[in-house]
């Protein structure tokens, strides 16, 4: 194995024990320039294995990657997130009860809704996202919010756990917006953490209509905890191009796929 290949393999090893690291620190550890690291990260070996934002880098997948702070994750692939959020907003009608699960697209969804004050003021939002709560408070937005309590994660900026799930169990909503930890070729939806899987299952039971928001870097991957199948959703908003077989399967289950 050549010097370049060894260095790129070493980058994965370093990220395996450091959920997030700056490009500068990574370059120092490998005794190369930051420009060399940037070129490495664009290589075919690494491009699908890592994500970058704010001059830092993290693994794109694995349970370890889920420990990357929310503030970093929401900036990754932000243009695509914005397009997905824009399509999601178009599915919301006045007066609805809307569940927005905490994910890297959730605040962007509220931001776009804030540009339609009349719609935002008419709906009720159910969420476990502290980031949404902060955004609403900072912008002094007029909307009705039910915040799902539970164990609070400062790093991930959300509530989670049995209490969160129990509170969702007592509620009913018109539409939900969920984002998977991973989706594979069999269209299996999985989560990296048990609490995420349990909350997503409960949300889907409580909602008339469920929408899956999928970025390309979630596919084809599989995480530890089973949630359900993509065929269990009413709509999928994604940048993915499904295979003809997958499209047929989704069509037969009456899943509307909105490709951005």
């Amino acid at each position: 194995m050549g010097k370049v290949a060894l260095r790129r393999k070493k980058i994965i090893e370093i990220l395996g024990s450091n959920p997030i690291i700056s490009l500068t620190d990574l370059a120092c550890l490998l005794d190369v320039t930051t420009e060399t690291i940037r070129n490495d990260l664009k290589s075919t070996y690494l491009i699908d294995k890592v994500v970058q934002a704010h001059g830092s880098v993290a693994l794109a997948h694995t349970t370890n990657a889920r420990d990357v702070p929310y503030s970093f994750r929401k900036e990754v692939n932000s243009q695509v997130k914005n397009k997905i959020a824009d399509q999601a907003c178009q599915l919301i009608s006045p007066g609805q009860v809307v569940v927005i699960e905490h994910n890297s697209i959730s605040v962007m969804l509220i931001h776009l809704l804030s540009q339609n004050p009349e719609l935002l003021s008419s709906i009720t939002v159910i969420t476990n996202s502290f980031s949404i709560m902060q955004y609403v408070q900072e912008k002094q937005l007029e909307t009705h919010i039910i915040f799902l309590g539970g164990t609070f994660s400062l790093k991930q900026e959300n509530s989670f756990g049995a209490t969160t799930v129990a509170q969702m169990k007592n509620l009913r909503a018109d539409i939900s917006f969920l984002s998977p930890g991973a989706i594979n070729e069999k269209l299996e939806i999985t989560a990296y953490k048990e609490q995420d899987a349990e909350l997503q299952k409960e949300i889907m039971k409580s909602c008339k209509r469920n929408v899956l928001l999928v970025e390309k870097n979630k596919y084809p991957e599989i995480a530890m905890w089973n949630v359900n199948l993509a065929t269990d959703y009413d709509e999928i908003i994604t940048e993915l191009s499904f295979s003809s077989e997958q499209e047929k399967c989704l069509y037969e289950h009456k899943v509307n796929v909105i490709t951005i």
Side-chain angles (χ1 to χ4, degrees):
M1 187 179 289
K3 182 179 178 181
V4 172
L6 283 170
R7 184 177 66 246
R8 291 171 180 174
K9 184 180 179 182
K10 183 66 175 177
I11 288 173
I12 294 296
E13 292 175 3
I14 291 171
L15 291 175
S17 55
N18 296 273
I20 182 170
I21 188 170
S22 71
L23 294 179
T24 301
D25 288 346
L26 189 55
C28 288
L29 286 172
L30 295 169
D31 195 26
V32 293
T33 66
T34 54
E35 189 59 35
T36 296
I37 294 297
R38 287 191 179 93
N39 289 332
D40 284 339
L41 299 177
K42 294 175 185 175
S43 68
T44 54
Y45 178 72
L46 289 175
I47 194 164
D48 292 327
K49 295 182 175 69
V50 299
V51 289
Q52 300 178 66
H54 298 310
S56 296
V57 61
L59 288 176
H61 306 290
T62 78
T63 302
N64 187 55
R66 300 306 95 186
D67 291 328
V68 173
Y70 176 76
S71 58
F72 176 92
R73 291 193 293 112
K74 70 179 182 180
E75 297 299 328
V76 174
N77 214 17
S78 60
Q79 290 185 337
V80 168
K81 287 181 171 70
N82 187 70
K83 290 179 181 179
I84 290 174
D86 182 62
Q87 288 294 323
C89 283
Q90 296 179 40
L91 299 178
I92 300 173
S93 299
Q96 286 189 323
V97 178
V98 182
V99 180
I100 304 178
E101 174 223 14
H102 179 72
N103 56 62
S104 60
I105 302 174
S106 55
V107 172
M108 197 166 289
L109 182 51
I110 285 292
H111 168 68
L112 291 176
L113 282 171
S114 72
Q115 296 174 22
N116 187 345
E118 188 174 343
L119 174 61
L120 183 60
S121 64
S122 75
I123 65 175
T124 297
V125 175
I126 300 172
T127 187
N128 67 321
S129 173
F130 188 70
S131 303
I132 285 180
M133 302 297 290
Q134 283 186 309
Y135 187 85
V136 169
Q137 182 183 38
E138 288 173 5
K139 302 297 181 180
Q140 295 293 293
L141 301 179
E142 290 293 331
T143 190
H144 306 279
I145 292 188
I146 296 174
F147 182 71
L148 301 173
T151 303
F152 175 66
S153 169
L154 180 61
K155 183 183 287 187
Q156 297 304 330
E157 302 178 25
N158 71 315
S159 60
F160 66 92
T163 301
T164 312
V165 174
Q167 290 186 6
M168 188 66 234
K169 200 172 204 176
N170 292 321
L171 299 169
R172 296 294 178 267
D174 296 293
I175 188 169
S176 75
F177 295 97
L178 304 157
S179 181
I183 176 173
N184 65 9
E185 295 93 334
K186 296 179 181 179
L187 299 180
E188 295 173 320
I189 304 298
T190 49
Y192 286 95
K193 294 183 178 179
E194 182 180 15
Q195 62 260 26
D196 294 338
E198 293 306 310
L199 180 59
Q200 288 179 349
K201 290 177 185 177
E202 197 57 54
I203 287 172
M204 291 193 70
K205 289 178 188 176
S206 301
C207 293
K208 297 176 185 175
R209 186 179 177 193
N210 295 289
V211 183
L212 188 68
L213 313 176
V214 188
E215 298 166 73
K216 189 165 58 177
N217 63 7
K218 303 287 183 73
Y219 176 91
E221 298 292 333
I222 189 164
M224 181 175 179
W225 298 95
N226 176 65
V227 179
N228 51 24
L229 297 171
T231 51
D232 294 323
Y233 295 80
D234 298 285
E235 269 96 14
I236 298 176
I237 304 176
T238 185
E239 60 176 323
L240 285 176
S241 295
F242 290 111
S243 68
S244 56
E245 185 178 344
Q246 290 169 333
E247 286 180 346
K248 181 182 177 182
C249 179
L250 292 167
Y251 176 79
E252 288 174 347
H253 285 84
K254 300 180 180 178
V255 181
N256 181 34
V257 179
I258 302 170
T259 304
I260 60 169

